[in-house]
Amino acid sequence: MSRILIVEDEQSIAELERDYLELSSFTVEIENDGLVGLDRAINEDFDMYILDLMLPNVDGFEILRQIREKKNTPILMVSAKKDDIDKIRGLGLGADDYITKPFSPSELVARVKAHIARYERLVNSNIIENDVIEIRGIRIDKTARRVYVNGEEKVLTTKEFDLLTFLASNPNHVYTKEELFREIWDMESIGDIATVTVHIKKIREKIELDTSKPQYIETIWGVGYRFKV
Ligand code: CA
């Protein structure tokens, strides 16, 4: 549930805003004093701030400025004077939206919903999970390009990583050295299929407990290699 802080010294306006927002299932806190509002805005987590401009002790400009130094949370500025709104825009303090009194409460709710939804999408888009392959103690993080065997990180070269990841992404599929060379090295590369053999050996030294009895990359004699599942 989204939590909103309203800093507004006119109690009747604050309550009107709160009542409408609560009808839309938001949790709303009200502060009437600028200094207390600023303190809570900075030290507590909210999903949105609605700030009046003219407030006792600390005004809305200053609260806006200080929140923006620390947080990207959406901020809606409220003022009785259109000139003041123009002033905040002009100062470029980073408010997301502006509304002049008197306003329609449903317009306020619509704007709050839109800003919270936009901000949630933004936050969620930054926490996409890494693309990971996990097979019997080996963990290949394709996004971070890191390999772990039983929790211990193994450092692979770029080509070693690409080769291992390709085989592990297609488990139980037997590839010839020619196919692997074409897949991992581009046609212009200097080298030949012996390069594949050399890289498989290096990978095994890094990921296998006993290279004479490979658990992960299996040699299919006369054909090529496959990643065993
Ligand atoms: Ca005021």
Side-chain angles (χ1 to χ4, degrees):
M1 197 190 298
S2 298
R3 205 161 154 255
I4 299 166
L5 178 67
I6 295 172
V7 189
E8 168 65 72
D9 58 333
E10 286 174 73
Q11 187 63 19
S12 59
I13 292 182
E15 284 174 2
L16 180 72
E17 292 173 357
R18 182 190 61 199
D19 292 349
Y20 272 84
L21 289 165
E22 283 181 349
L23 282 175
S24 290
S25 303
F26 292 111
T27 302
V28 180
E29 309 268 336
I30 294 173
E31 288 302 337
N32 303 119
D33 178 85
L35 190 60
V36 180
L38 172 62
D39 182 63
R40 292 195 64 189
I42 298 296
N43 295 307
E44 292 181 37
D45 279 333
F46 291 95
D47 300 289
M48 182 143 184
Y49 300 95
I50 299 174
L51 309 177
D52 181 32
L53 258 194
M54 293 305 134
L55 292 163
N57 296 317
V58 177
D59 68 20
F61 290 104
E62 183 60 19
I63 300 176
L64 167 62
R65 196 185 62 74
Q66 293 205 31
I67 294 172
R68 268 295 165 268
E69 280 182 0
K70 297 195 167 63
K71 307 179 185 197
N72 294 315
T73 314
I75 302 174
L76 171 68
M77 302 301 294
V78 180
S79 174
K81 289 191 228 157
K82 171 114 188 2
D83 289 355
D84 286 338
I85 300 267
D86 293 340
K87 192 173 158 194
I88 339 175
R89 276 188 211 273
L91 288 172
L93 293 174
D96 295 271
D97 207 351
Y98 314 85
I99 202 163
T100 30
K101 296 178 197 172
F103 51 82
S104 113
S106 50
E107 170 69 18
L108 176 89
V109 171
R111 293 203 195 178
V112 166
K113 278 184 180 169
H115 285 291
I116 288 179
R118 179 190 53 79
Y119 188 64
E120 279 176 356
R121 278 197 305 275
L122 183 75
V123 171
N124 290 336
S125 69
N126 290 334
I127 50 168
I128 294 165
E129 282 189 17
N130 284 7
D131 188 2
V132 171
I133 301 172
E134 266 189 297
I135 302 169
R136 288 182 292 109
I138 190 161
R139 180 179 157 84
I140 304 170
D141 185 331
K142 292 164 80 172
T143 313
R145 294 185 64 88
R146 293 181 137 177
V147 178
Y148 302 85
V149 180
N150 299 318
E152 191 186 329
E153 185 170 3
K154 305 293 175 180
V155 180
L156 274 66
T157 65
T158 303
K159 292 298 181 200
E160 288 165 6
F161 181 87
D162 291 344
L163 185 54
L164 173 64
T165 303
F166 178 73
L167 287 166
S169 300
N170 302 280
N172 283 340
H173 186 125
V174 180
Y175 290 96
T176 65
K177 291 174 190 172
E178 289 82 359
E179 284 171 329
L180 292 172
F181 187 74
R182 272 204 306 275
E183 189 64 40
I184 307 302
W185 285 265
D186 58 57
M187 301 307 274
E188 318 305 320
S189 292
I190 300 163
D192 53 47
I193 57 167
T195 312
V196 176
T197 315
V198 172
H199 278 75
I200 294 283
K201 182 168 177 289
K202 294 251 172 68
I203 295 168
R204 280 179 175 154
E205 285 166 3
K206 291 175 182 179
I207 67 168
E208 298 285 358
L209 196 62
D210 179 354
T211 53
S212 67
K213 295 189 195 102
Q215 296 301 303
Y216 298 113
I217 301 175
E218 190 180 23
T219 304
I220 310 296
W221 291 110
V223 187
Y225 302 99
R226 72 166 178 180
F227 195 99
K228 272 198 290 188
V229 173

